[in-house]
């Protein structure tokens, strides 16, 4: 079974905040049927829990992105994202990123 072959269709992106030197980057997925157009009527924001990451949703994104826009981020310190110094991983801090 080559389920992982479909995972190659999901592209990871990153945001670098030039104003925050302690935050290296936040990785995210932004997928939709039309890769050039990101204004679909419905968007699913897939937020992972602790201690997971956006990769958890890869199979759902492959299915849902055929019809809807799907966005999922790796919160700081999870998955491919890095956390700034003195980051305490509170729900409040994570919500500020989202």
């Amino acid at each position: 079974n080559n389920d992982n072959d479909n995972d190659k269709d999901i592209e990871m992106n990153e945001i670098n905040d030039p104003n925050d030197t302690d935050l290296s980057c936040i990785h995210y997925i932004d997928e939709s049927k039309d890769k050039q157009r990101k204004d679909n009527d419905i968007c699913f924001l897939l937020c992972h829990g602790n201690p997971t990451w956006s990769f958890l949703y890869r199979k759902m994104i492959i299915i849902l992105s055929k019809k809807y826009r799907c966005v999922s981020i790796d919160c700081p310190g999870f998955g491919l994202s890095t956390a700034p110094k003195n980051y305490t991983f509170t729900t409040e801090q994570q919500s500020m990123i989202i």
Side-chain angles (χ1 to χ4, degrees):
N1 189 348
N2 287 337
D3 285 341
N4 290 336
D5 288 344
N6 290 333
D7 296 347
K8 296 175 187 169
D9 294 336
I10 295 178
E11 180 181 339
M12 290 297 294
N13 304 285
E14 67 179 47
I15 299 171
N16 295 300
D17 185 355
N19 298 321
D20 187 350
T21 57
D22 289 338
L23 182 61
S24 296
C25 65
I26 297 295
H27 283 259
Y28 68 95
I29 297 167
D30 188 351
E31 291 288 324
S32 65
K33 178 181 170 185
D34 184 349
K35 301 261 186 204
Q36 301 301 316
R37 193 170 159 234
K38 297 292 186 183
D39 62 347
N40 297 354
D41 291 338
I42 297 174
C43 177
F44 287 94
L45 177 60
L46 305 164
C47 300
H48 67 78
N50 186 0
T52 60
W53 61 311
S54 61
F55 190 74
L56 172 74
Y57 299 113
R58 70 193 182 287
K59 294 191 187 295
M60 289 173 49
I61 290 170
I62 290 167
I63 294 167
L64 290 171
S65 66
K66 292 176 183 175
K67 190 171 180 181
Y68 308 104
R69 181 178 180 191
C70 297
V71 176
S72 184
I73 71 164
D74 289 343
C75 290
F78 296 91
L80 300 175
S81 295
T82 56
K85 295 176 191 171
N86 301 321
Y87 197 77
T88 59
F89 300 93
T90 64
T91 303
E92 182 179 355
Q93 283 184 318
Q94 299 288 36
S95 70
M96 295 299 288
I97 298 297
I98 293 171

